[in-house]
Amino acid sequence: MARTFTKIGKQIAIAVKAGGPEPENNPTLRAIIANAKRENMPKDNIERAIKNAMGKDQSDYKEVTYEGYGPHGVAVFVETLTDNTTRTVGDVRSVFNKFNGNLGTQGSLSFLFDHKSVFTFKKKDGLDMDELILDLIDYGVEDEYDEDEETSEVTIYGDPKSFGDIQKHLESQGFEVTGAEFTRIPNDLKEVNEEQRETIEKMVERLEDFDDVQTVYTNMKSAE
């Protein structure tokens, strides 16, 4: 949990530096705060992260991705936020080497993953999803969506370039946005056996242990 809060703190730092510390005037910060609450990050931690981001000595974080193949030909895509790329690439490369993987150049495997924006919001009574999707179609929102009947939440997927427009539309229509983020969905899944799956999962865990690493994606096919 502490590691998750550290990662969210870095996201807050970037959002504050880019758009200011006031959530009402910074849609990116609002989205991150929604995600933080979803992860049960205490309000004091959120406010402290915003305050720290305004400090003169606060380091600037950069978004850097690392891509390559892990064992058994599985593609691995690593998203990081770092203030020291030399440290981060060394950490990431060490894991690839340990698992006999091959770290490639930036962008070399992006064709294997579809980059999308993802929004989760509370479903309002009487909501016509077809009408909502039609309203958002100009922003590249997809027809297919996920609905959780237990939490009354709906998750939609759209063009990452339209992230701000999608968020603005949902908020203007009075929806309570409970999650807003980017994701990468593999479009060419790799079959593996159980032993191979365990190895890949261990590699992902090792990568996620680094504070600089935000998210790790693979094109490994899910277990049946």
Side-chain angles (χ1 to χ4, degrees):
M1 188 63 71
R3 185 175 293 112
T4 298
F5 293 168
T6 298
K7 293 179 178 180
I8 293 175
K10 290 183 178 181
Q11 296 172 7
I12 289 175
I14 286 183
V16 169
K17 286 187 173 295
E22 302 298 334
E24 58 269 26
N25 300 322
N26 188 336
T28 302
L29 181 59
R30 287 201 303 275
I32 294 172
I33 289 175
N35 293 338
K37 291 179 178 178
R38 195 181 186 88
E39 295 291 343
N40 296 316
M41 187 173 184
K43 181 179 179 181
D44 289 347
N45 291 43
I46 296 173
E47 293 177 346
R48 189 181 309 116
I50 293 174
K51 183 178 180 180
N52 289 341
M54 298 168 60
K56 294 181 180 179
D57 297 329
Q58 178 70 17
S59 298
D60 288 328
Y61 291 106
K62 297 179 181 179
E63 297 178 346
V64 184
T65 62
Y66 300 95
E67 304 153 50
Y69 285 99
H72 315 300
V74 172
V76 181
F77 199 107
V78 186
E79 294 181 338
T80 73
L81 285 179
T82 177
D83 58 353
N84 186 327
T85 55
T86 300
R87 176 191 66 224
T88 305
V89 69
D91 289 340
V92 172
R93 181 178 286 114
S94 70
V95 176
F96 272 83
N97 290 342
K98 179 177 178 60
F99 286 86
N100 296 317
N102 180 30
L103 186 62
T105 57
Q106 191 175 43
S108 61
L109 298 184
S110 58
F111 70 97
L112 289 174
F113 297 86
D114 295 325
H115 194 201
K116 299 181 180 182
S117 57
V118 184
F119 288 87
T120 301
F121 54 90
K122 290 289 186 179
K123 185 177 182 180
K124 295 190 294 186
D125 291 338
L127 173 64
D128 186 331
M129 279 302 301
D130 290 336
E131 183 177 337
L132 177 62
I133 295 296
L134 186 61
D135 289 341
L136 291 169
I137 197 169
D138 289 339
Y139 304 135
V141 171
E142 300 175 358
D143 293 339
E144 295 185 3
Y145 56 87
D146 299 321
E147 187 170 347
D148 190 325
E149 295 183 359
E150 292 186 4
T151 62
S152 296
E153 290 184 327
V154 177
T155 300
I156 60 175
Y157 304 84
D159 186 340
K161 296 179 180 178
S162 300
F163 185 92
D165 291 330
I166 297 172
Q167 180 182 357
K168 183 178 180 180
H169 184 87
L170 291 174
E171 292 177 344
S172 69
Q173 296 301 310
F175 289 102
E176 179 188 350
V177 178
T178 57
E181 59 186 352
F182 297 101
T183 191
R184 297 182 188 274
I185 300 176
N187 55 49
D188 183 19
L189 296 175
K190 181 76 173 179
E191 291 270 9
V192 295
N193 59 38
E194 283 306 307
E195 183 178 354
Q196 293 170 338
R197 182 181 305 281
E198 289 181 7
T199 301
I200 295 297
E201 289 176 347
K202 287 180 181 178
M203 179 181 181
V204 171
E205 289 176 2
R206 289 293 298 272
L207 287 167
E208 290 178 338
D209 280 341
F210 296 121
D211 288 339
D212 292 340
V213 173
Q214 292 288 300
T215 314
V216 181
Y217 302 97
T218 78
N219 71 337
M220 178 174 62
K221 187 174 182 179
S222 300
E224 296 296 337

